[in-house]
Amino acid sequence: LFFRNMILYHFKEIAYRLLYLSLSIILSTCIVWNCKESWLNLICDIPLIYIRLSEAFFSYLHLAIYTAIIINLPYLCYQILSFLSPGLYKYEFKNYTSIAIWFNLLFLIVSFVYFLFLLPTIVNFFIQFDSAIIQPNVTLSDYVNFSILIVHLAFFTLIVPLLTFTIQVNGYRK
């Protein structure tokens, strides 16, 4: 009976934390949706077209959701750390807190560097292949999907060194 009550308590705690995180992502998505044109103009400096009827709507929605997730990444780390903190020792909590802060800070910095410097360079590289025969017509969905791929690259180029550092700090590796 005690274990069942503890499991139910943990499930309730997870449900509340997921609810708060979902509401935060939905609210952030609505905020980003209201300034979608400005956000797209910030990350894109080439003319874009859309071909399918619903392409613009779903591309903007895709961009708004991914931006909201990036904005809420610190809150996600806070929710995870808050859920795990009762079961951690003080030194573990301090280590994981500093790792979470560094991860969030570095991820946001790396994402902005990728968006502001690397993405325009890569796009200009691909657009330089135009000629008299072929013209570049970049669709909105292709550009949004490509920029989301850039965010994934930023995440994975940051997560591998951070995991290595975490393993090294915990003493599992020399």
Side-chain angles (χ1 to χ4, degrees), residues 65-132:
I65 290 172
Y66 267 90
T67 305
I69 290 171
I70 290 171
I71 290 170
N72 282 296
L73 192 63
Y75 188 61
L76 171 68
C77 287
Y78 167 76
Q79 290 293 343
I80 290 171
L81 198 61
S82 294
F83 179 74
L84 295 177
S85 65
L88 297 175
Y89 292 114
K90 287 188 180 191
Y91 72 92
E92 290 175 330
F93 180 76
K94 199 180 290 185
N95 285 344
Y96 289 127
T97 303
S98 64
I99 288 170
I101 289 170
W102 278 106
F103 171 75
N104 287 313
L105 184 68
L106 290 175
F107 181 72
L108 292 175
I109 290 170
V110 167
S111 294
F112 284 122
V113 166
Y114 271 53
F115 268 126
L116 297 178
F117 299 113
L118 190 64
L119 183 64
T121 305
I122 293 172
V123 169
N124 288 334
F125 171 76
F126 286 128
I127 287 184
Q128 77 177 356
F129 291 107
D130 67 338
S131 66

Side-chain angles (χ1 to χ4, degrees), residues 9 18 24 29 31 40 46 56 72 90 104 128 155 164:
Y9 172 76
L18 287 175
S24 176
T29 301
I31 291 170
L40 190 63
I46 60 172
N72 282 296
K90 287 188 180 191
N104 287 313
Q128 77 177 356
F155 179 75
T164 305

Side-chain angles (χ1 to χ4, degrees), residues 7 17 20-21 79-80 83 90 136 141 146 159 161 168 172:
I7 290 174
R17 297 206 180 268
Y20 296 147
L21 184 64
Q79 290 293 343
I80 290 171
F83 179 74
K90 287 188 180 191
S141 64
F146 189 73
I159 197 71
Q168 187 176 6
Y172 297 123

